Amino acid sequence: MAETGLNVEPTGGKRTLSRKGWVAAGIAVVVVLGTGTAVTLRAVEAAPIIPPTDIYTVASGQQVTTIQTTGTVESKSESQLAFQNVGGIVKKINVDVGDHVKAGQVLAVLDDSAIQAQMEAAKANVAVAQGNLAQAQAHLQIVQDGPTPQTVQVAQTQVKAAETVLSNAQKAYQDALNQYNDRTAQKQQLVAAQNAVNQAKTALDTAQQNQQSAIESAQKALEAAQNKLAVDQQNLQSDQALYGNITLEQVQSEYQEYQTALSHFQSWQHGGFVGANPYQQELQTAQQVYQSDSTGYYKLQADQNAVKADQAAVAQAQQALTQAQSSVSNLQAQYQAALNALQTAQETYDDRTQQQAAVDQAANAVKQAQAQLETAKAQLEQVLHPQSPGDINSAQAGVSTAQAGVQAAQAQLQQLQVQDGFTQLKAPVDGVITAKNVAIGNVVQPGQPVFTMDVNELHVFIAVSEAQLRNVEVGDPIEMTISALPGQTFTGTVYEIDPKPIDGASGMTEYRVKATLDASANDKLKPGMNGTVTIHTNLKHQGTMIPTMSLQSVDGYFGVYEVARKNVKRIDRGADATAAGVPPVPETELNKIDAQLPDGVYFQPVRIGYQGNAQVQVTAGLRPGDQVLLGVARFIVGQDGTRPPEAND
């Protein structure tokens, strides 16, 4: 049975649905993509039809599952950060040791040029598949309606479009081939690794030659420092025996006594008295005591300062000796690391799998584009000839096949987009970088530690069985209860999954999972507390999942362009929207947005949750079976598409 399209015909200032009689719509539809880009759908000479490939039927999401196990509260600890699922050459490093980082901050980036090349080829494949579908739909329309001037024009347009697709595919193939043949960057990485080996070997050889003399020199310096320390310690002991324990307060007090005796002596001398000064002996005694203790105090201070300086010199000489003794072993480790890096760089240089895959995909896109062009030309030749029922059935089957091709090409592109997202290493939680294990240009493998990060807050170590581990993901929320704190629940988020197995209490293999704890835990929980932990898995995928390109942001409101379905009540968008969990939008705003859309399509507000590279979670506003437009739907003139059931009257 032939499908009908969504046609819009203006009648008396209002648009209505019509099976035939395509007329000029005379409008320009302005919508906003989820990325915030304004796009104008210009008016065409005939009413638009929504192709089936631009309509997505909503399916239900996965159900949330929980894992209940035990956990132990731990204090600040280290976390090893690594790229997941992909490896490659380190292109950018955004942090250094000692930097404070925030959750979600990009720490390092891998070279994704090979993935980008594959994505370009995949985009070309999508374009080819969409072109094939457009041709199949146009051919079906021609077969059903017979030749008309308009269908002839459409067929001619399809030939030109196919020629453009072929030209773009050929250019993409040439670009992929040029990138495959240009090995400058890989060669530079290999040469840099070889130079690093040579430098490390030279440093090692020099250190081995100079190590013995350096050790002997350091030993002599240490011995001299120790001898001087012994002499100064003996001097200090001798002066302590001579002067005893003299304090600054004692010296100051004796000075005051001396000043008092001097005042008495001078008063007698100038007072006109006759005979010997009775204060002569008092003055001499006070002066001798003060001068003796003052001299002793400052001598002891000098002795003590000398001993402290000697002790620092001994410690410094000991450190220099240790460094001299260990310099060769450190350089041997650096030399071995340089050899390993060279081997990895050589393996990367020799492995051309990704580049070859990009060339193969681009070549395949050229072949498909060539086939598409031949098909378009053949359809143009056939457009004026009447078709049999068998031809109609064959054309309908061609549309179905082309639709499947579009879905497969889009799935491949989405998979590459997700893979490209893994080339960015992001901080899972707030913390401080304490170690950096790679440099720009190094080759890393999936799971290889790149940074070590200190986690600033309390966290919980969770024991997860081997069977349950496959359900746990970084980002899963957790809840923890402590028997010593009844009625209180502490929340957090999984931020690290240790791939090394451990022996569980029951003898079964378990894995250690780390999760953050909310700020309230810092004042109530202590390291070492044990409790029950519930991990909520699959939460990212719970609810209704739709392609990211379906999400629209219009005048600050999130929603989708939904196709009305006959006998299916729409989710309320007005006064009862809040009760249904849908963000309310003023009626005037809804009318303004709907007025820019074809009849049978309306703006449905939604509440969003988790957002991924390819899909977004809708927690309210959509149901399984609802139909939404993918991005800004292509309203193609004269091609077969899907028409809302309520328009079939």
Side-chain angles (χ1 to χ4, degrees):
M1 177 178 179
E3 296 178 330
T4 55
L6 174 58
N7 300 328
V8 181
E9 179 179 357
T11 57
K14 176 176 173 58
R15 295 169 294 158
T16 59
L17 299 172
S18 171
R19 297 177 185 272
K20 301 179 181 179
W22 294 342
V23 297
I27 59 172
V29 181
V30 179
V31 295
V32 180
L33 292 174
T35 58
T37 304
V39 179
T40 300
L41 303 180
R42 301 189 181 278
V44 293
E45 295 181 354
I49 293 179
I50 304 176
T53 53
D54 285 343
I55 298 178
Y56 175 80
T57 301
V58 177
S60 61
Q62 301 178 3
Q63 294 298 315
V64 175
T65 59
T66 60
I67 296 174
Q68 194 169 75
T69 180
T70 59
T72 302
V73 177
E74 299 285 353
S75 59
K76 176 179 177 181
S77 69
E78 290 186 341
S79 176
Q80 300 295 328
L81 306 183
F83 289 97
Q84 303 298 320
N85 300 323
V86 297
I89 299 174
V90 178
K91 178 181 179 182
K92 184 185 298 183
I93 296 178
N94 299 329
V95 296
D96 208 339
V97 174
D99 286 354
H100 292 257
V101 299
K102 295 293 185 181
Q105 180 177 340
V106 177
L107 308 180
V109 180
L110 294 179
D111 182 4
D112 64 344
S113 57
I115 297 178
Q116 287 290 338
Q118 295 181 53
M119 287 174 59
E120 290 301 319
K123 290 177 182 178
N125 290 340
V126 171
V128 169
Q130 290 174 337
N132 290 339
L133 177 59
Q135 288 182 1
Q137 292 170 335
H139 178 61
L140 176 61
Q141 191 70 46
I142 293 170
V143 171
Q144 291 174 332
D145 297 347
T148 65
Q150 188 178 26
T151 56
V152 172
Q153 182 182 1
V154 169
Q156 292 171 337
T157 302
Q158 292 300 323
V159 171
K160 293 181 180 179
E163 290 173 342
T164 301
V165 170
L166 176 58
S167 176
N168 293 338
Q170 289 171 334
K171 182 180 182 302
Y173 170 73
Q174 189 60 48
D175 291 343
L177 191 61
N178 291 340
Q179 185 175 5
Y180 180 87
N181 293 328
D182 185 4
R183 310 204 65 193
T184 304
Q186 294 90 338
K187 184 65 175 178
Q188 290 175 345
Q189 297 295 336
L190 189 59
V191 171
Q194 182 62 62
N195 291 339
V197 169
N198 295 339
Q199 293 173 359
K201 185 64 168 62
T202 300
L204 176 60
D205 292 343
T206 302
Q208 288 175 332
Q209 294 172 2
N210 299 334
Q211 184 183 39
Q212 187 58 41
S213 61
I215 291 176
E216 292 175 357
S217 176
Q219 287 174 334
K220 290 179 180 179
L222 177 60
E223 183 178 353
Q226 290 172 335
N227 291 338
K228 188 174 184 304
L229 174 61
V231 171
D232 289 341
Q233 286 176 331
Q234 182 60 45
N235 291 338
L236 175 61
Q237 291 174 358
S238 298
D239 288 339
Q240 286 175 335
L242 177 62
Y243 296 110
N245 185 21
I246 303 175
T247 65
L248 178 60
E249 291 78 7
Q250 179 181 345
V251 173
Q252 291 173 338
S253 176
E254 291 169 352
Y255 176 74
Q256 292 298 327
E257 293 177 359
Y258 164 70
Q259 289 294 321
T260 300
L262 179 61
S263 176
H264 292 164
F265 178 83
Q266 291 175 342
S267 295
W268 172 268
Q269 288 292 105
H270 300 295
F273 299 103
V274 179
N277 193 324
Y279 296 103
Q280 178 71 36
Q281 184 61 40
E282 177 186 356
L283 176 60
Q284 291 177 349
T285 301
Q287 184 177 15
Q288 290 173 355
V289 171
Y290 165 68
Q291 290 177 343
S292 174
D293 286 354
S294 176
T295 301
Y297 172 76
Y298 288 108
K299 185 65 171 68
L300 289 172
Q301 290 298 310
D303 291 343
Q304 291 172 350
N305 291 335
V307 169
K308 290 180 180 179
D310 293 343
Q311 289 172 336
V314 169
Q316 185 176 3
Q318 183 64 59
Q319 183 179 7
L321 177 60
T322 302
Q323 290 177 347
Q325 293 171 333
S326 62
S327 61
V328 170
S329 60
N330 293 336
L331 289 172
Q332 285 175 334
Q334 295 176 12
Y335 176 61
Q336 186 59 49
L339 287 175
N340 295 338
L342 175 60
Q343 181 180 356
T344 302
Q346 185 66 56
E347 293 173 352
T348 302
Y349 183 82
D350 296 337
D351 184 6
R352 319 236 23 217
T353 304
Q354 289 185 330
Q355 293 89 344
Q356 185 62 54
V359 172
D360 293 343
Q361 288 181 352
N364 185 53
V366 171
K367 293 179 181 179
Q368 293 180 2
Q370 290 171 335
Q372 173 188 340
L373 178 59
E374 293 301 322
T375 301
K377 290 180 178 179
Q379 289 177 349
L380 180 60
E381 292 296 326
Q382 297 174 0
V383 74
L384 297 177
H385 299 282
Q387 306 295 327
S388 66
D391 292 331
I392 295 177
N393 293 336
S394 176
Q396 290 173 335
V399 170
S400 299
T401 301
Q403 289 173 339
V406 169
Q407 294 174 355
Q410 290 175 335
Q412 182 186 27
L413 176 59
Q414 291 175 355
Q415 182 179 6
L416 288 170
Q417 290 171 335
V418 172
Q419 186 179 6
D420 188 54
F422 287 126
T423 61
Q424 290 189 343
L425 176 58
K426 298 181 179 180
V429 293
D430 295 353
V432 178
I433 300 299
T434 58
K436 182 176 67 173
N437 305 320
V438 299
I440 294 177
N442 289 166
V443 178
V444 298
Q445 303 299 326
Q448 176 183 339
V450 176
F451 297 103
T452 301
M453 183 178 73
D454 270 352
V455 180
N456 295 328
E457 303 295 338
L458 287 177
H459 60 272
V460 57
F461 271 124
I462 309 168
V464 178
S465 69
E466 186 174 21
Q468 295 173 324
L469 186 68
R470 60 186 178 85
N471 296 322
V472 180
E473 299 180 10
V474 172
D476 285 345
I478 65 113
E479 294 178 348
M480 184 177 189
T481 57
I482 307 290
S483 58
L485 301 172
Q488 299 189 51
T489 300
F490 303 93
T491 60
T493 305
V494 173
Y495 71 87
E496 182 180 321
I497 301 174
D498 192 339
K500 298 186 294 295
I502 59 175
D503 293 331
S506 60
M508 299 178 61
T509 299
E510 293 181 342
Y511 292 82
R512 291 163 67 89
V513 173
K514 292 182 182 180
T516 61
L517 288 171
D518 56 37
S520 65
N522 293 329
D523 299 329
K524 300 178 181 179
L525 299 183
K526 301 296 181 184
M529 284 186 170
N530 297 315
T532 301
V533 176
T534 301
I535 306 176
H536 297 272
T537 65
N538 296 330
L539 187 60
K540 291 181 181 178
H541 313 293
Q542 169 64 7
T544 301
M545 304 299 295
I546 62 173
T548 301
M549 64 188 300
S550 298
L551 183 65
Q552 312 294 335
S553 176
V554 183
D555 295 335
Y557 300 105
F558 282 110
V560 296
Y561 295 139
E562 184 169 354
V563 180
R565 293 188 292 161
K566 190 174 183 179
N567 298 327
V568 176
K569 183 180 179 181
R570 299 192 312 197
I571 295 178
D572 189 85
R573 306 185 297 172
D576 296 334
T578 304
V582 180
V585 179
E587 190 69 26
T588 55
E589 292 292 329
L590 292 173
N591 292 337
K592 182 176 69 173
I593 298 172
D594 290 347
Q596 301 178 28
L597 302 175
D599 284 347
V601 178
Y602 61 93
F603 181 75
Q604 172 60 48
V606 298
R607 186 178 300 279
I608 61 174
Y610 166 76
Q611 296 188 63
N613 291 328
Q615 288 189 311
V616 61
Q617 176 192 35
V618 175
T619 59
L622 286 178
R623 301 157 300 189
D626 288 345
Q627 293 182 328
V628 299
L629 302 187
L630 292 170
V632 181
R634 294 176 292 111
F635 301 108
I636 300 176
V637 177
Q639 295 183 11
D640 181 62
T642 298
R643 183 175 177 220
E646 65 185 34
N648 290 335
D649 299 331

